[in-house]
């Protein structure tokens, strides 16, 4: 299952332009992940650690990023319509 593969990797994640709609990655360790222009609509990324990650131009419509760690992440031009960012850590995020 893709969720298990992503969560168990220790190397950087590279899925630019990938279709990851509705994927469940609760609490996943995704530091420095490259998810630019990825479709993450409806994804559960709550409590995920996405520090220094690249989510630029990503489709995050309806995604759950509550409690996610997005310090120094690049989320420029990401579609954040109806995205849950409650309690997300956004310090020094590039928005």
């Amino acid at each position: 299952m893709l969720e298990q593969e992503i969560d168990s990797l220790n190397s950087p994640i590279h899925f630019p332009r990938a279709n990851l709609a509705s994927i469940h990655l609760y609490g996943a360790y995704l530091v420095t992940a490259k998810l630019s222009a990825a479709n993450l609509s409806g994804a559960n990324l709550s409590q995920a650690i996405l520090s220094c990650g690249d989510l630029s131009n990503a489709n995050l419509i309806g995604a759950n990023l509550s409690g996610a760690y997005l310090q120094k992440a690049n989320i420029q031009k990401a579609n954040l319509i109806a995205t849950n960012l409650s309690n997300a850590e956004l310090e020094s995020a590039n928005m």
Side-chain angles (χ1 to χ4, degrees):
M1 182 174 272
L2 182 61
E3 290 94 339
Q4 293 169 340
E5 291 174 23
I6 290 173
D7 198 30
S8 65
L9 293 174
N10 291 321
S11 60
I13 307 300
H14 296 276
F15 285 114
R17 297 183 189 85
N19 183 5
L20 302 172
S22 300
I23 195 165
H24 181 77
L25 294 172
Y26 173 88
Y29 183 81
L30 301 169
V31 172
T32 70
K34 306 297 183 209
L35 298 165
S36 59
N39 179 9
L40 291 158
S41 60
N44 181 1
L45 294 159
S46 58
Q47 303 295 318
I49 302 170
L50 291 150
S51 302
C52 300
D54 184 2
L55 294 163
S56 60
N57 298 299
N59 177 358
L60 292 165
I61 294 174
N64 182 0
L65 288 159
S66 62
Y69 296 89
L70 295 157
Q71 296 93 340
K72 298 182 182 177
N74 181 4
I75 37 183
Q76 277 192 319
K77 298 184 182 177
N79 191 334
L80 298 171
I81 294 173
T83 300
N84 182 352
L85 289 166
S86 62
N87 298 314
E89 295 288 334
L90 296 163
E91 183 178 335
S92 299
N94 187 2
M95 300 178 79

